[in-house]
Structure formats: structure tokens, C-alpha cells
Amino acid sequence: SPVVTGNNLWLTPQDSGYYLLEATLDACKAKDSLFIIVQPLPNPSILGDNSVCIGDSTVLSANTTKKYLWYPNLETASSITIRPTQALTISLRVTDENNCSDSSGQLIVVNPLPKVAIIGLDSACESRSVQLVGSRAKFYNWQNGASNSTSLTVNTASDTLIFLQGTDDNGCKNLDSILIRVLPNPIVAVLPTQVTVCKFAALTFNALGAATYFWPQGNTSDQFNTVAQNDTTYLVTGVSVNGCSDTASFSITLFPQPEVLIAGPDSVCKG
């Protein structure tokens, strides 16, 4: 070991060992020794998730049972709960029973929530289905329990509120919802509904209950004109202003044709 002279000695020992002191006064000398024990540092580390979704909390804890001081919140418990809104570095200073201290730091990353969206129609006619598709996430969980499916088919019996939870690669979750409104179908009727006429009779039928109609011959007004040719049943489809439809039928029945027979000679004398 090196020899140092002077009244004071400042040490930064790395290992335990003896230190000798020799003092001289005039011609007299005296010696003393001191054994210095170098205690190990506590070597702290921070346990817990190093990333969190915005709005969520996470618990961080120390790996030792010593005295603690957390930064920047200056808590002294063995664990802390944080709810960060942006990335930050958490530091932990640990002091052991020998009054030795050391520090550890952990960068906490704050991940944004996925912007989950439901794509699809928000209205449908009665008894029709709607196809909904989830977007902007990796995994999806629909209100009805369908999971890991990007799409959902909804049968519309009444107004229905659908929820979708989406999860991204970081495990962050977010919700979206859509209210599907049921549009009423029109109630289409034709007057008259059934007629019995002679062959070649001219007929007019009138539809009601919708905004637009589609007749057998392509007419789209509320009236259909035809000539009776044979026994027939027709269908007309009516469409309302909201695009929903209904179908009605009407029929034509012909009277039996009379059998006409002229009896008598087919030639006579003049006068």
C-alpha cells in the first residue's frame, strides 16, 4: 500500500483491509492500525412493467427489503403506483442497514390507445342484416362475445347498440360503438286485389303504401294498366323513401268463354 504523510487521510477503499498509522513526535514513534470493512452496495432494481397504456396505472416495486426513496414523487414505500400521461424516468434510491446507498432507474413508456372504429351502415330495414367491420386495432371483441373476428353480422329486429373493443400490439384497448336504427318496411297493397273478368277486358290496378312501385311490365307509377289475357297472378314491389320494400300480389281470373253455335241451313233461296 502507498505511504501517505499528513494529519488526515481520505480514502475510497474498494476492498476490506487494515490501515496502519505511524506517528512521530521528536524522536518517539507510535503505531496504530484500523481494519476497515467495505460493505457492498445494495444493488437495487425496479420490478414491474416498463410500458403502460395512457390512462392506465402500473405498480413498480423494489427487489430488496431496505429503505427506499422514489423519484420524482419522493415516496418511501417498497412499491408505488403510477398513472403517467407521458414517458418518464422513475428512479429508486435504496439504503441498506449499513447505510450504504445506490440507485436504479427505469424509463416508463406511455403508449397511446388505438383509435378503434366500426365501419358499416347505422340503419337497416326490418328483418335485414347489417355487416359491421372493425378497424385500427389488431384484435377485436364484439359486444355479443365474438372475439378475434374483424367483422360482425347483426340481424335487425329492433334498434340495437353495438360495442366493439379493440386491442393493439401493445395490449392497449379502446372502445367504439354504433347505434343501428331499424327502418320500418312499407305495407304495400293493390286495389283491386282480385278481379274476375272476360278475356280482353281492360283493367287498372292501383298500389298504395310506398313511394315507388315496380310492376311486372316495368312501370314505376302507382297505377298499372293491362288487358286480361289469361288467369294470372302478378307481384308488385313497393319501395319507401327510406329504401325499404314490401311486395303485394294481385290476380286476374277469366270468366269461361261461352260456346256459341248457330243452328240452321247455311244456304237459302232468294226471297
Side-chain angles (χ1 to χ4, degrees):
S1 300
V3 176
V4 179
T5 59
N7 293 333
N8 298 302
L9 176 63
W10 295 98
L11 298 174
T12 307
Q14 300 299 315
D15 300 298
S16 301
Y18 280 99
Y19 289 84
L20 300 177
L21 172 63
E22 183 179 275
T24 302
L25 179 61
D26 296 329
C28 299
K29 294 184 178 181
K31 294 183 179 180
D32 194 11
S33 65
L34 177 66
F35 187 79
I36 297 178
I37 300 174
V38 177
Q39 303 288 352
L41 296 178
N43 190 28
S45 63
I46 298 174
L47 307 177
D49 292 333
N50 61 0
S51 67
V52 64
C53 303
I54 190 168
D56 290 347
S57 62
T58 186
V59 177
L60 303 177
S61 58
N63 67 329
T64 60
T65 55
K66 312 293 182 182
K67 294 180 180 179
Y68 316 95
L69 183 60
W70 297 86
Y71 295 91
N73 51 359
L74 302 180
E75 293 187 40
T76 57
S78 61
S79 64
I80 60 172
T81 300
I82 60 173
R83 192 187 299 271
T85 58
Q86 59 185 5
L88 80 160
T89 298
I90 295 292
S91 297
L92 169 64
R93 187 165 185 82
V94 173
T95 303
D96 63 14
E97 61 273 8
N98 299 309
N99 208 34
C100 295
S101 300
D102 200 6
S103 298
S104 179
Q106 179 68 61
L107 174 64
I108 307 298
V109 177
V110 178
N111 298 307
L113 301 182
K115 297 180 179 179
V116 179
I118 299 175
I119 300 174
L121 298 175
D122 61 359
S123 63
C125 301
E126 290 179 80
S127 303
R128 301 293 177 88
S129 62
V130 175
Q131 185 81 8
L132 302 178
V133 178
S135 65
R136 302 177 185 174
K138 186 174 183 179
F139 303 104
Y140 300 94
N141 186 18
W142 296 89
Q143 173 190 6
N144 68 340
S147 59
N148 296 331
S149 176
T150 306
S151 62
L152 177 71
T153 300
V154 180
N155 295 315
T156 57
S158 60
D159 291 358
T160 305
L161 182 61
I162 298 294
F163 289 94
L164 171 64
Q165 182 186 70
T167 306
D168 64 14
D169 289 321
N170 297 314
C172 297
K173 296 176 171 57
N174 207 355
L175 292 173
D176 191 24
S177 64
I178 185 172
L179 176 62
I180 301 176
R181 297 189 179 276
V182 176
L183 304 175
N185 292 328
I187 300 175
V188 176
V190 178
L191 297 176
T193 301
Q194 192 276 333
V195 293
T196 302
V197 295
C198 297
K199 190 174 184 178
F200 303 123
L203 298 172
T204 298
F205 294 90
N206 294 284
L208 51 92
T212 304
Y213 302 91
F214 295 91
W215 300 90
Q217 297 175 359
N219 182 25
T220 58
S221 69
D222 60 354
Q223 193 173 81
F224 174 64
N225 298 309
T226 188
V227 174
Q229 299 286 343
N230 46 46
D231 292 349
T232 307
T233 297
Y234 292 105
L235 294 177
V236 59
T237 299
V239 180
S240 64
V241 291
N242 57 28
C244 299
S245 63
D246 186 30
T247 300
S249 64
F250 59 100
S251 60
I252 300 172
T253 303
L254 299 182
F255 285 121
Q257 288 289 100
E259 295 183 3
V260 178
L261 179 63
I262 301 175
D266 58 1
S267 67
V268 294
C269 298
K270 186 177 181 178

